[in-house]
Amino acid sequence: MQNLILASSSPRRKELLENLHLTFAISSSEVDESFDPSLSPEEVVMELAERKAQAVFNQNKDAFVIGSDTIVVANNRILGKPADEAEAISMLKSLSGQQHDVFTGVSIVSPESSTRFYEKTEVWFWELTDDEIKAYVQTGEPLDKAGAYGIQQLGSMLVKKINGDYFAVVGLPAARTIRELKKAGYQLPY
């Protein structure tokens, strides 16, 4: 039996892997998430995903480890998780009525190989009122999410349309991840 480990405590990533009928363990990696500001968004998410996967793999040398990281980029500015409600409000105001990009990087590390990739999805928001933004922020949902929203929950009411992989916006491009796991030699249950 091959070991599969998700190097994330994200309930969203956990649910996406469960939906794929994979058996896996969770081992959250506490890595430094700072990055070189001269890197492109693609490089940032792949580097952070690789740090997370490698940290868990170093403790589990016989496993296939999946690390992932998601960022939002608006007006050439990377938006991570907001520090507080005020920052969440500021982020959502900057996204209101605009298009932004969501980048999710994935790294898969195993005893035999290592690969990393990313998906980019374009997201358009409706024009939001101050009251809508404040009400959403007061739910607490935006505080642990890049760009201060979650597309799969209440944040879905902010999104006008997307172009790209919905699951990458949630936090893990499921179909691509399965294909890359298979290429790495992981035996799928189906």
Side-chain angles (χ1 to χ4, degrees), residues 126-169:
W126 290 99
E127 194 72 44
L128 307 173
T129 67
D130 287 349
D131 287 343
E132 287 172 321
I133 290 171
K134 286 178 188 164
Y136 177 58
V137 170
Q138 287 173 350
T139 69
E141 183 179 290
L143 297 179
D144 72 336
K145 294 172 181 63
Y149 76 96
I151 195 171
Q152 71 284 359
Q153 295 172 309
L154 287 172
S156 62
M157 68 183 175
L158 312 176
V159 178
K160 187 173 186 177
K161 68 178 180 173
I162 72 167
N163 179 25
D165 187 333
Y166 167 82
F167 299 106
V169 180

Side-chain angles (χ1 to χ4, degrees), residues 15-82:
E15 182 180 356
L16 289 172
L17 281 185
E18 287 172 343
N19 289 345
L20 296 170
H21 298 260
L22 298 177
T23 302
F24 60 96
I26 292 175
S27 180
S28 181
S29 56
E30 301 302 321
V31 298
D32 175 15
E33 292 195 34
S34 62
F35 56 86
D36 180 344
S38 70
L39 294 177
S40 69
E42 299 91 326
E43 292 168 320
V44 168
V45 291
M46 288 189 297
E47 181 178 305
L48 293 176
E50 188 170 27
R51 270 188 223 163
K52 294 172 183 181
Q54 194 62 55
V56 171
F57 180 76
N58 289 343
Q59 305 300 314
N60 302 275
K61 295 282 191 181
D62 63 336
F64 286 78
V65 180
I66 302 170
S68 186
D69 194 76
T70 301
I71 59 171
V72 171
V73 178
N75 302 314
N76 297 317
R77 196 172 124 235
I78 293 176
L79 305 178
K81 295 176 185 174

Side-chain angles (χ1 to χ4, degrees), residues 79-124:
L79 305 178
K81 295 176 185 174
D84 53 31
E85 286 189 2
E87 189 175 19
I89 289 170
S90 174
M91 285 183 185
L92 291 168
K93 282 184 178 187
S94 75
L95 299 175
S96 176
Q98 303 295 314
Q99 181 265 325
H100 61 274
D101 298 318
V102 177
F103 291 85
T104 294
V106 178
S107 174
I108 299 171
V109 181
S110 73
E112 303 297 319
S113 67
S114 175
T115 189
R116 63 187 205 168
F117 60 91
Y118 74 94
E119 291 291 331
K120 173 186 170 186
T121 302
E122 298 171 322
V123 180
W124 286 262

